[in-house]
């Protein structure tokens, strides 16, 4: 059989093979078996050396035609197969956008953070600044600078986690009083600040005590600040926390950094003052400690106590949350049980 006939025969066979192929991989194998280095057409063309010089151009032309045709058929089939496979993939991966989505569980602000944010809002509205203190404090700022020298008996009121003899976990937010006072420039206006944060005490955990809890410190220092300003401010705070009808009363107390010092009670939000289990039949609930800033605290921070004075207060959001929501154990706030925490959804 002449080379021309062989070429025609091979082309016909190749086209049949291509017809029955149904994957891109098969097409590639067919291409290699006919047009590759060791492919059939290549080896036929190797026989050209035995062809007479007159015949050579004719056969050469035929060979090129066969190669071109075969290449075209291969390419066409490959493209079709690729298109089909893409189509299949698209169909398999179609997303039905009309299907109802799965509910995403949204987190929410922790109840204690909610209380602290509400208090921050109230004081921001009255022109206070919010200041962050250090949880790791020096003994000096935690005690001495708030008028509690070494060996002062009042230090026993707060059992302390010491890190070194001079460094501790703050037992209250009051060290921020000294830190803010010493940095405040009174020629630029009064000092009005609150400072929320975590504090630590070596209390044994029980229903009303936690070794780590929160406090919010407040302080106002200027000329001519009186106890009436303190009472008015705390009245607003009590109303914001427990409702518009609430009243407060001040009872004498002792804190080394305030003179005079007071404990502040709010009229019972549950019974309205008649006496119930929440207020232990007294009609009043204790919510915070406060007083007029002791001159020593001002002087130690370089503030002239004959010219400037004011008040400070410290409250425990954990205890406020317990009262407000009737929570009987402070430890619920720290166990991260979603069944408990999700009850306190902020409205709006
Ligand atoms: C103080 O810590 C003062 N620094 C507050 C203060 C500031 C008074 C400025 C005057 C001027 P006290 O130890 O009473 O005070 O604590 C304040 C509040 O923290 C308490 O009323 C209570 O609500 C809360 N508290 C105290 N100990 C615990 C505890 N172990 N667990 C949870 N809350 C506590």
């Amino acid at each position: 059989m002449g080379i021309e006939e062989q070429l025609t025969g091979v082309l016909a066979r190749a086209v049949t093979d291509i017809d029955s192929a149904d994957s891109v991989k098969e097409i590639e194998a067919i291409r290699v078996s006919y047009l590759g280095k060791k492919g059939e057409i290549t080896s036929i063309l190797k026989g050209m050396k035995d062809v007479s010089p007159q015949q050579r151009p004719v056969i050469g032309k035929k060979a090129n035609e066969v190669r071109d045709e075969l290449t075209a058929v291969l390419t066409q089939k490959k493209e079709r197969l690729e298109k089909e496979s893409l189509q299949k993939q698209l169909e398999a991966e179609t997303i039905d956008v009309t299907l109802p989505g799965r509910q995403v569980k949204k987190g929410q602000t922790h109840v204690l953070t909610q209380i602290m944010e509400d208090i921050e809002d109230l004081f921001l509205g009255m022109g206070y600044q919010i200041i962050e203190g250090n949880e790791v404090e020096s003994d000096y700022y935690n005690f001495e600078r708030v008028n509690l020298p070494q060996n002062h008996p009042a230090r026993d009121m707060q059992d302390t986690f010491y890190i070194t003899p001079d460094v501790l976990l703050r037992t209250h937010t009051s060290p921020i009083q000294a830190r803010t006072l010493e940095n405040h420039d009174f020629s630029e206006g009064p000092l009005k600040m609150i400072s929320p944060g975590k504090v630590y005490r070596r209390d044994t955990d029980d229903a009303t005590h936690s070794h780590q809890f929160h406090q919010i410190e407040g302080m106002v220092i200027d000329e001519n600040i009186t106890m009436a300003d303190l009472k008015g401010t705390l009245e607003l705070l009590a109303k914001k926390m427990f409702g518009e009808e609430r009243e407060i009363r001040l009872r004498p107390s002792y804190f080394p950094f305030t003179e005079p010092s007071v404990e502040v009670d709010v009229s019972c939000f549950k019974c309205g003052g008649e006496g119930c289990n929440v207020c232990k039949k007294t009609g009043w609930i204790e919510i915070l400690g406060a007083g007029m800033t002791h001159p020593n605290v001002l002087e130690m921070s370089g503030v002239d106590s004959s010219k400037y004075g004011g008040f400070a207060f410290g409250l425990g959001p954990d205890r406020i949350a317990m009262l407000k929501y009737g929570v009987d154990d402070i430890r619920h706030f720290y166990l991260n049980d979603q069944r408990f925490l999700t009850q306190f959804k902020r409205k709006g």
Side-chain angles (χ1 to χ4, degrees):
M1 203 193 311
I3 289 185
E4 266 190 280
E5 289 80 39
Q6 279 184 44
L7 284 168
T8 314
V10 169
L11 178 61
R13 205 151 26 83
V15 169
T16 317
D17 287 353
I18 293 166
D19 266 353
S20 55
D22 52 17
S23 75
V24 173
K25 213 168 149 193
E26 276 177 69
I27 292 292
E28 182 54 19
I30 295 170
R31 191 188 64 76
V32 171
S33 74
Y34 288 98
L35 297 173
K37 263 194 203 154
K38 293 179 182 160
E40 278 192 55
I41 292 181
T42 320
S43 48
I44 292 171
L45 291 178
K46 280 186 186 151
M48 287 278 279
K49 58 183 185 313
D50 306 324
V51 173
S52 66
Q54 298 92 319
Q55 276 274 301
R56 233 176 250 168
V58 182
I59 292 179
K61 188 164 168 255
K62 175 78 181 172
N64 282 338
E65 278 169 12
V66 167
R67 195 194 301 115
D68 290 349
E69 169 131 26
L70 192 51
T71 308
V73 177
L74 279 165
T75 311
Q76 216 177 31
K77 180 78 188 244
K78 190 174 163 204
E79 278 170 4
R80 211 183 79 207
L81 286 171
E82 278 172 350
K83 223 167 160 179
E84 278 171 14
S85 116
L86 178 66
Q87 191 62 30
K88 263 192 217 151
Q89 196 183 349
L90 286 176
E91 274 163 22
E93 290 176 6
T94 303
I95 295 167
D96 181 353
V97 289
T98 63
L99 278 176
R102 284 196 200 101
Q103 187 97 39
V104 177
K105 275 203 178 148
K106 268 203 269 173
Q108 63 171 73
T109 313
H110 192 285
V111 56
L112 294 179
T113 311
Q114 288 180 29
I115 295 226
M116 290 194 282
E117 285 178 355
D118 288 349
I119 295 174
E120 285 171 20
D121 278 353
L122 173 72
F123 282 96
L124 277 174
M126 295 193 287
Y128 284 56
Q129 46 178 328
I130 297 174
I131 294 189
E132 213 171 317
N134 308 332
E135 285 177 32
V136 176
E137 251 307 353
S138 62
D139 179 276
Y140 177 64
Y141 275 97
N142 193 76
F143 292 124
E144 290 188 40
R145 286 291 295 275
V146 288
N147 206 27
L148 264 153
Q150 304 260 352
N151 307 321
H152 189 290
R155 280 195 175 193
D156 287 346
M157 288 156 64
Q158 299 170 339
D159 279 351
T160 310
F161 287 112
Y162 276 94
I163 294 169
T164 70
D166 303 321
V167 179
L168 45 77
L169 294 179
R170 66 177 176 186
T171 58
H172 55 174
T173 41
S174 297
I176 198 68
Q177 291 189 18
R179 289 194 179 273
T180 345
L181 275 171
E182 67 189 11
N183 287 321
H184 189 74
D185 179 356
F186 282 92
S187 67
E188 289 186 355
L191 167 61
K192 291 166 80 179
M193 68 87 178
I194 60 162
S195 181
K198 294 193 191 82
V199 301
Y200 304 82
R201 288 185 196 175
R202 287 189 339 161
D203 283 339
T204 307
D205 289 3
D206 63 20
T208 51
H209 294 82
S210 174
H211 60 281
Q212 180 238 285
F213 57 100
H214 297 80
Q215 283 193 344
I216 299 181
E217 194 79 10
M219 187 175 211
V220 172
I221 305 290
D222 196 8
E223 291 176 59
N224 307 317
I225 302 285
T226 68
M227 208 144 179
D229 297 312
L230 170 63
K231 191 169 182 204
T233 307
L234 296 179
E235 224 154 36
L236 277 174
L237 175 64
K239 286 180 194 297
K240 170 92 174 176
M241 286 290 95
F242 296 107
E244 278 305 310
E245 317 78 52
R246 300 279 66 80
E247 287 169 27
I248 61 164
R249 73 173 185 190
L250 310 185
R251 277 181 296 110
S253 183
Y254 172 72
F255 294 105
F257 28 90
T258 46
E259 181 57 38
S261 301
V262 289
E263 300 273 11
V264 181
D265 298 341
V266 62
S267 57
C268 181
F269 56 89
K270 188 162 178 206
C271 63
E274 280 168 25
C276 68
N277 58 337
V278 172
C279 59
K280 298 193 187 98
K281 310 262 183 264
T282 63
W284 296 92
I285 299 168
E286 182 191 319
I287 54 163
L288 56 88
M292 302 310 287
T293 300
H294 197 293
N296 286 358
V297 173
L298 298 171
E299 293 293 339
M300 277 189 282
S301 295
V303 179
D304 179 357
S305 64
S306 63
K307 189 169 177 199
Y308 295 105
F311 61 77
F313 59 88
L315 64 106
D318 305 55
R319 296 264 176 88
I320 288 192
M322 288 176 80
L323 289 171
K324 188 167 173 171
Y325 297 115
V327 175
D328 58 5
D329 196 320
I330 196 170
R331 289 168 290 198
H332 287 308
F333 296 128
Y334 297 102
L335 293 177
N336 285 334
D337 184 337
Q338 291 301 305
R339 290 168 303 179
F340 172 76
L341 293 175
T342 49
Q343 295 175 76
F344 306 99
K345 286 227 159 66
R346 204 199 280 276
K347 289 182 203 87

